[in-house]
Amino acid sequence: QVRLVESGGGLVQAGGSLRLSCAASGFIFSIKTMYWYRQAPGKQRELVATATSEGSTNYAESVKGRFTISRDNAKNTVYLQMNSLKPEDTAVYYCAVRRGADYYWGQGTQVTVSS
């Protein structure tokens, strides 16, 4: 079955950096687009970054120039490098994959940015 396990979250001061990882299993990772989403308290889950199987990437306007999504198909892992973090980046971050009409999610990792 599909399994996604995020790690790398934590508490960081504004301006700092974190690198999130998402280890995937249960599907052919190399052919799937991978997503990073986040959900802040009281807000809807929002798409942060996308990495296609061909290597194309896309970002939410709010993180462009600060976040970088990458993937290692040999390790079945997708990463999110987050630099110049802001308090408004505080959220639970989730990786996701879509199979047909369904999205599969990890358990999430908390990122807290203090001012």
Side-chain angles (χ1 to χ4, degrees):
Q1 68 279 20
V2 174
R3 188 166 187 239
L4 301 169
V5 180
E6 301 96 335
S7 61
L11 174 63
V12 63
Q13 288 188 331
S17 299
L18 284 173
R19 188 195 195 203
L20 306 184
S21 299
C22 173
S25 60
F27 61 97
I28 305 173
F29 180 83
S30 61
I31 66 171
K32 303 300 289 186
T33 295
M34 296 300 298
Y35 307 89
W36 281 102
Y37 282 77
R38 67 185 180 186
Q39 188 166 20
K43 295 188 177 181
Q44 288 189 330
R45 194 171 294 191
E46 64 169 341
L47 178 62
V48 174
T50 302
T52 71
S53 58
E54 295 84 8
S56 297
T57 58
N58 281 288
Y59 300 92
E61 284 297 325
S62 59
V63 307
K64 275 185 181 177
R66 301 188 297 121
F67 289 13
T68 302
I69 187 171
S70 61
R71 59 192 297 161
D72 185 336
N73 289 340
K75 295 183 178 180
N76 285 3
T77 301
V78 60
Y79 304 97
L80 187 66
Q81 177 67 44
M82 305 186 295
N83 299 328
S84 302
L85 282 161
K86 305 175 180 180
E88 50 264 43
D89 295 317
T90 294
V92 178
Y93 284 72
Y94 301 88
C95 67
V97 64
R98 182 177 177 180
R99 294 181 72 185
D102 297 323
Y103 279 86
Y104 292 81
W105 304 89
Q107 83 288 352
T109 186
Q110 176 71 47
V111 171
T112 303
V113 184
S114 66
S115 55

